[in-house]
Amino acid sequence: MFGIPLGDDGTELRPLEPWHAEEFLAHIERGREFIGRHVGLADANRDLESARAFLTAYAQKTATDTGRILGIRTAEGTLVGGVLLRTMDVAQGTAEAGCWLEPAAVGRGLVTRAVRVLIDWAVEERGLHRVEWQVPSANEPSIAVARRLGMTKEGVLREMFLYRGERTDIEVWSVLAPEWRAARAAERAAGSDHRGAGREPVDADPFSA
């Protein structure tokens, strides 16, 4: 199996495909309550059929270049979370990124590292100009990720999202390609590239189908 190293701890970013549905569902079950506090991923994957349908939908997005989904795996190969491009419009040069993580993997910076790889790919490989991050105002860890990635808060969509019967404010954060490239160049110049010095992808492009 191929993947992109996320650091020196053996964690990797790897594709998630429909044949991973059973493993994906088991991962969701381990963190269902935690994951479902702010995002609909847990509700969308209730059984094997829905999990397979969810991953199949993203396989179709990959095939049509309108989205991507990738899993975060430990050194032992355990699926503990993931990142995605929920939407992607190459013609417009825009995308919306997202993430999730099960409780056992929290506090290790995995999401920040994984999203950094995702944005690198979106900007440098697909030529996107803007990557957006939409997050409920109560989801402080996700907002912290946006800050660590150097995103700019653009505003709040008041009571925009109806989730589990309650109206939720959604914050909109984003980063533009010139901003991203400048920040990454500064990181590399300072020797702080979070993907690990000298670490290269095991495979040329794990984002492809």
Side-chain angles (χ1 to χ4, degrees), residues 1-6 10-14 71-75 202:
M1 175 59 71
F2 51 83
I4 293 182
L6 292 177
T11 56
E12 289 186 337
L13 200 58
R14 299 183 192 172
I72 299 172
R73 293 184 181 274
T74 66
V202 175

Side-chain angles (χ1 to χ4, degrees), residues 16 24-25 27-29 31-47 50-55 58 68-71 79-84 86 98-102 161 163-164:
L16 270 177
F24 178 66
L25 179 62
H27 151 63
I28 294 296
E29 291 293 356
R32 181 171 296 282
E33 183 176 349
F34 180 82
I35 294 169
R37 293 182 305 167
H38 300 294
V39 298
L41 185 69
D43 291 352
N45 293 276
R46 286 288 181 183
D47 50 31
S50 58
R52 186 174 289 113
F54 180 83
L55 294 180
Y58 270 91
R68 293 294 190 279
I69 189 168
L70 297 158
L79 179 65
V80 295
V83 295
L84 52 79
R86 194 183 69 83
C99 68
W100 76 94
L101 203 64
E102 67 178 66
F161 186 47
Y163 185 55
R164 294 182 174 178

Side-chain angles (χ1 to χ4, degrees), residues 171-193:
E171 295 189 11
V172 179
W173 296 69
S174 73
V175 63
L176 305 181
E179 300 166 344
W180 184 256
R181 292 191 178 108
R184 295 295 276 147
E187 286 178 0
R188 293 186 179 102
S192 60
D193 190 335

Side-chain angles (χ1 to χ4, degrees), residues 93 119 123-124 127-131 150 175-186:
I119 297 177
V123 170
E124 302 301 345
L128 300 188
H129 179 71
R130 169 189 168 89
V131 178
V175 63
L176 305 181
E179 300 166 344
W180 184 256
R181 292 191 178 108
R184 295 295 276 147

Side-chain angles (χ1 to χ4, degrees), residues 13-204:
L13 200 58
R14 299 183 192 172
L16 270 177
E17 301 179 29
W19 62 272
H20 292 120
E22 187 172 349
E23 179 188 21
F24 178 66
L25 179 62
H27 151 63
I28 294 296
E29 291 293 356
R30 290 194 300 270
R32 181 171 296 282
E33 183 176 349
F34 180 82
I35 294 169
R37 293 182 305 167
H38 300 294
V39 298
L41 185 69
D43 291 352
N45 293 276
R46 286 288 181 183
D47 50 31
L48 187 57
E49 182 180 1
S50 58
R52 186 174 289 113
F54 180 83
L55 294 180
T56 297
Y58 270 91
Q60 292 170 346
K61 287 185 179 185
T62 296
T64 56
D65 206 21
T66 55
R68 293 294 190 279
I69 189 168
L70 297 158
I72 299 172
R73 293 184 181 274
T74 66
E76 295 74 30
T78 304
L79 179 65
V80 295
V83 295
L84 52 79
L85 293 177
R86 194 183 69 83
T87 63
M88 188 167 108
D89 187 331
V90 176
Q92 287 294 322
T94 61
E96 180 192 338
C99 68
W100 76 94
L101 203 64
E102 67 178 66
V106 170
R108 298 165 55 187
L110 294 177
V111 164
T112 302
R113 285 185 269 163
V115 177
R116 184 176 282 111
V117 171
L118 187 67
I119 297 177
D120 271 346
W121 178 83
V123 170
E124 302 301 345
E125 297 296 328
R126 298 305 295 121
L128 300 188
H129 179 71
R130 169 189 168 89
V131 178
E132 189 171 284
W133 190 259
Q134 293 194 12
V135 53
S137 294
N139 192 348
E140 295 180 1
S142 187
I143 291 171
V145 170
R147 290 196 179 100
R148 285 194 293 271
L149 292 170
M151 291 184 169
T152 297
K153 181 178 177 180
E154 298 181 336
V156 178
L157 304 176
R158 298 182 303 153
E159 298 189 0
M160 174 267 217
F161 186 47
L162 180 62
Y163 185 55
R164 294 182 174 178
E166 295 186 7
R167 287 283 173 187
T168 302
D169 291 350
I170 298 294
E171 295 189 11
V172 179
W173 296 69
S174 73
V175 63
L176 305 181
E179 300 166 344
W180 184 256
R181 292 191 178 108
R184 295 295 276 147
E187 286 178 0
R188 293 186 179 102
S192 60
D193 190 335
H194 292 271
R195 283 175 62 183
R199 299 293 296 273
E200 295 295 332
V202 175
D203 186 84

